[in-house]
Amino acid sequence: MDKRTSIRLEKREETGKQHCKKIRSEGKIPGVLYGHGYPKSIPFSVAVQSIAPVVQSGRWETARLDVVTPGGKKELCLMRDLQRNPLTGDILHVDLLQLKKGHKVSVNVPVEIIGREKCAGIKQGGVFEQLIHEVEMEVLPSEIPASIVIDVAGLPIDGAIRISDVEFPESAVLVLSPEEMIVTIAPARVEAEPVPEEEEEEETAEVEVVAKGKTKEEED
């Protein structure tokens, strides 16, 4: 599990598109905080530089955040939703979920592949295929993994790594079957060699001659 990031939220009195646009022009991101202790979500704004490094890490869905609310209360949170500008990639809005100690939370944990450059099956000409890119699980907040690391260095041709081959946190309850394959190394497909055009013409001519010969015999 990665080192936690600390962020401080600022109170946001107003809502609406124009107000959010104004907040973004000030280098901040609008958002809402919700969870067990917040039946009514709390609108907030947060500095872009506080959130951006977590988002750019590619693991924002599993990154646990030490949050100080506008009221000064400390909470452990996850980013539950993230809206970005499809053209610029700028962060437009973020939802934070309060985590409660002892209560499991559902998360999608990314699969990280290592050892491809040393993979025995790939060196032998096998085709690497990753079938699962993230694993959904219910897990205690203290045990949320940043990623599921899969080492394929020793994987041979026709080899596979399944869910059952991976060690998960003790509290984790998985949605996937233990037999689901995460990665495989398949044998390289051998394509049939193309027949030269001249040979194809000769074969066609022979077939035509035989066919005509049969027809003549039948007429006799």
Side-chain angles (χ1 to χ4, degrees):
M1 285 167 281
D2 293 347
K3 182 181 178 181
R4 299 210 295 256
T5 300
S6 298
I7 62 173
R8 180 175 291 273
L9 309 182
E10 298 178 20
K11 192 174 183 179
R12 180 161 64 99
E13 296 285 2
E14 300 179 44
T15 58
K17 291 184 178 179
Q18 290 304 317
H19 182 65
C20 289
K21 188 175 181 180
K22 180 177 180 295
I23 289 175
R24 296 185 193 107
S25 70
E26 298 172 351
K28 300 176 184 178
I29 302 167
V32 293
L33 168 66
Y34 65 95
H36 293 283
Y38 302 92
K40 292 184 178 180
S41 59
I42 299 178
F44 66 81
S45 64
V46 62
V48 173
Q49 60 263 33
S50 297
I51 292 291
V54 180
V55 174
Q56 292 167 359
S57 72
R59 300 177 181 177
W60 62 267
E61 289 182 282
T62 57
R64 296 175 300 158
L65 307 173
D66 286 321
V67 172
V68 179
T69 71
K73 191 175 180 181
K74 294 181 179 180
E75 299 285 6
L76 183 63
C77 298
L78 283 181
M79 286 190 207
R80 213 41 165 173
D81 189 34
L82 185 69
Q83 296 177 23
R84 306 184 73 164
N85 185 309
L87 298 178
T88 65
D90 292 342
I91 305 169
L92 301 178
H93 191 278
V94 61
D95 289 358
L96 298 183
L97 171 66
Q98 172 214 21
L99 300 177
K100 190 173 181 180
K101 187 177 181 180
H103 287 248
K104 291 183 179 181
V105 62
S106 177
V107 292
N108 292 320
V109 183
V111 174
E112 179 183 353
I113 305 298
I114 62 173
R116 285 191 61 166
E117 67 284 354
K118 299 179 181 178
C119 180
I122 294 177
K123 288 184 177 181
Q124 294 166 5
V127 179
F128 174 87
E129 185 174 6
Q130 183 175 350
L131 305 173
I132 296 175
H133 294 269
E134 60 182 20
V135 178
E136 183 180 354
M137 66 178 72
E138 289 189 353
V139 62
L140 291 174
S142 60
E143 296 184 357
I144 297 174
S147 63
I148 303 300
V149 180
I150 306 294
D151 189 350
V152 299
L155 203 60
I157 289 180
D158 283 329
I161 295 178
R162 293 175 167 78
I163 290 290
S164 58
D165 298 321
V166 180
E167 184 177 348
F168 293 96
E170 186 177 351
S171 66
V173 177
L174 307 185
V175 174
L176 295 172
S177 163
E179 294 306 312
E180 290 277 358
M181 290 190 294
I182 301 174
V183 297
T184 65
I185 305 292
R189 296 182 180 88
V190 179
E191 297 183 1
E193 294 184 4
V195 179
E197 190 175 338
E198 293 182 0
E199 291 186 13
E200 287 184 352
E201 291 177 354
E202 290 178 2
E203 290 178 1
T204 302
E206 289 179 3
V207 171
E208 289 179 352
V209 170
V210 171
K212 288 180 180 178
K214 286 184 176 180
T215 303
K216 188 175 181 180
E217 289 176 3
E218 289 175 358
E219 287 177 355
D220 292 344

